[in-house]
Amino acid sequence: MAEGLLMVVSGPSGVGKGTVCRHLLQKNPELAMSVSMTTRSPRRGEEEGKSYFFTTRDTFVKLREEGAFLEWAQVYGDLYGTPRRFLEEQRDLGKDILLEIDTQGARQVKESYPRGVFVFLLPPSLAELKARIVKRGTESLDAMAKRLDFAREEMKSLDIYDYVVINDRVAEAAGRMSAILAAEKCAAGRNKNLIAKLLKGGTW
Ligand code: 5GP
């Protein structure tokens, strides 16, 4: 079985990570999206178990202490974490997984999955990022300012990422992410088992 691939996508709030990831999932039906748990309240249109598993701070902390998260972080005052179980189940099935998490979480994942593919989504400009956050209209003025400040900070520490993708247009950005996925799946280092199988006279 080919090794399942873990793709981690980060990027500043408002850059369009959710939309680009949805396009990427449509183009790559074999890719499974991990659903995070969060203590923040649902936004309009968000669905329990699809967008996030929404929970209380007490429950989150209890689960965290039980080791239920592969990684977790506090982002804009709320807690977010990647449930370990789903990831491990999919990994054992050889499935490819997509994680959409912040830079603090990505650093933790890099420790457990150094062969993961780390992609950072960038806006075409800071002005455009601000316009997108304002247009989304889900945050207070104070929260919007916090997110913009944090975006600048995040963009300064891209050392753990393998790729940067500019989200100018969603379809093009998702196309570039698909190309990254396809290339990474062909990496010789990920296909050692298959190469060994060929050498033994098997078929690809
Ligand atoms: P939002 O509240 O806008 O959905 O997400 C805020 C930030 O939290 C985004 O940068 C998003 O990538 C990040 N995030 C979402 N889920 C997780 C998670 O499970 N772990 C970590 N570390 N960050 C997450």
Side-chain angles (χ1 to χ4, degrees), residues 87-173:
L87 227 81
E88 292 178 348
E89 281 167 6
Q90 299 296 312
R91 184 198 54 193
D92 292 347
L93 292 170
K95 293 272 177 66
D96 299 330
I97 311 162
L98 183 63
L99 286 187
E100 193 243 285
I101 59 177
D102 86 320
T103 49
Q104 308 168 70
R107 265 177 213 287
Q108 297 168 49
V109 174
K110 186 101 182 176
E111 306 257 305
S112 346
Y113 289 87
R115 288 158 65 77
V117 181
F118 292 75
V119 182
F120 196 87
L121 268 185
L122 286 168
S125 67
L126 281 178
E128 174 61 23
L129 184 67
K130 186 174 177 186
R132 288 182 192 175
I133 297 178
V134 171
K135 190 171 163 209
R136 188 166 74 183
T138 49
E139 272 83 31
S140 64
L141 278 180
D142 183 44
M144 282 193 243
K146 251 199 230 169
R147 281 169 191 247
L148 272 175
D149 280 348
F150 190 58
R152 286 173 189 275
E153 285 310 308
E154 275 188 313
M155 285 192 234
K156 286 184 203 155
S157 61
L158 299 187
D159 52 304
I160 63 155
Y161 291 88
D162 305 301
Y163 298 93
V164 288
V165 169
I166 295 182
N167 183 19
D168 39 8
R169 289 165 192 268
V170 173
E172 269 105 36

Side-chain angles (χ1 to χ4, degrees), residues 9 11 13 17 36-37 40 43 46 52 71-73 75-76 80-82 100-102 104-106 136 139 147 154:
V9 181
S13 179
K17 295 184 291 280
S36 298
M37 188 169 276
R40 89 152 160 71
R43 293 188 186 124
E46 284 187 331
Y52 283 105
E71 64 71 36
W72 71 274
V75 192
Y76 317 119
Y80 295 79
T82 302
E100 193 243 285
I101 59 177
D102 86 320
Q104 308 168 70
R136 188 166 74 183
E139 272 83 31
R147 281 169 191 247
E154 275 188 313

Side-chain angles (χ1 to χ4, degrees), residues 68-79:
F69 299 118
L70 172 72
E71 64 71 36
W72 71 274
Q74 176 155 323
V75 192
Y76 317 119
D78 280 304
L79 301 175

